Amino acid sequence: MKWMDGHDPVDVVAALAPQLSPDRIGRIDAVLDARLGGLTVVLENLHDPHNGAAALRSVEGFGLAELHVVEQAEPFRFSDKVTQGCEKWVAIRRYPRFGDAAAALHGRGFRLHAAVPGAPVAVDDLDVGRPAALVFGNEHAGLTGAARAACDGTFAIPMTGFTQSFNLSVSVALSVHAAAARRRAALGAPGDLPAEERARLRARWYVLSVDPRAAQGIVERYVANRTR
């Protein structure tokens, strides 16, 4: 939806608000209030589209704003039947190499925590008071050596049975659930998006809630009438 770049988010929201029900507007506001930009997930060389889809659903369902994927071995794919459209509400950032993802996230103040079975630090003990990225590797080979070297530390999901690891999508869900709850507790608030990002996302979600094809015309007519 490149056309949105040329419009003030305030205008987009004002133009499309009459097209949405009060319940839908309330739902958008509630989800925005609980969105976390300071917690994210990185997936390296994921292979199974069903795992990709399940990870996406966990990221969106627990209120994260972004998912970062490294596609050095193969493109990141996900099953539409599993996502049920949740990918519309999450920004998917793609990188050709893990170093590119690490540099981008470090540049934004994130610490990268690699999921490694048996690591001495439990997911419940991670420092999520500052921006944190939970990093997961390929379903079969795990994280590459380069990825582990670029991370700032490791963590594991505590396990009390004979089983030593979970399926990747389950690991993502458990880790995001725990880290998101602790992030919100540390913030003392349900979400952490700055006002500018909230405004941008609100406008995007209004467009997606109407119809991207019809929304452009509605917004452009609104702006044209307002500036006459």
Side-chain angles (χ1 to χ4, degrees), residues 74-146:
E74 59 184 297
F76 174 70
R77 297 170 296 140
F78 53 85
S79 168
D80 295 339
K81 292 181 179 179
V82 178
T83 61
Q84 297 184 358
C86 75
E87 65 273 13
K88 296 189 300 184
W89 316 109
V90 176
I92 302 176
R93 312 293 185 195
R94 300 173 183 268
Y95 308 88
R97 293 173 298 277
F98 191 89
D100 300 317
L105 287 164
H106 280 145
R108 292 168 55 187
F110 280 80
R111 288 181 60 82
L112 275 61
H113 306 278
V116 178
V121 177
V123 64
D124 294 324
D125 297 324
L126 288 178
D127 176 11
V128 291
R130 62 175 293 180
L134 309 181
V135 183
F136 300 86
N138 176 273
E139 299 95 327
H140 306 295
L143 287 167
T144 61

Side-chain angles (χ1 to χ4, degrees), residues 2 14 23 28 40 46 54 71 81 91 122-123 136 139-140 152 161 168-169 196 206 209 220:
K2 283 288 187 181
D23 285 346
I28 289 173
T40 193
L46 206 65
E71 303 175 305
K81 292 181 179 179
V123 64
F136 300 86
E139 299 95 327
H140 306 295
D152 303 292
L168 183 133
S169 62
E196 184 176 346
Y206 271 48
S209 296
E220 290 178 349

Side-chain angles (χ1 to χ4, degrees), residues 220-228:
E220 290 178 349
R221 286 193 297 273
Y222 171 87
V223 173
N225 291 333
R226 183 177 57 78
T227 56
R228 282 178 181 171

Side-chain angles (χ1 to χ4, degrees), residues 139-209:
E139 299 95 327
H140 306 295
L143 287 167
T144 61
R148 290 185 62 168
C151 289
D152 303 292
T154 60
F155 75 93
I157 300 170
M159 304 187 70
T160 53
F162 290 109
T163 301
Q164 296 183 347
S165 64
F166 290 115
N167 169 272
L168 183 133
S169 62
V170 173
S171 296
V172 171
L174 292 171
S175 300
V176 172
H177 177 266
R182 294 187 62 247
R183 171 76 177 166
R184 292 183 172 106
L187 292 169
D192 63 6
L193 293 183
E196 184 176 346
E197 179 65 7
R198 284 172 59 93
R200 188 190 68 79
L201 279 180
R202 179 179 284 107
R204 176 178 172 81
W205 293 354
Y206 271 48
V207 169
L208 290 171
S209 296

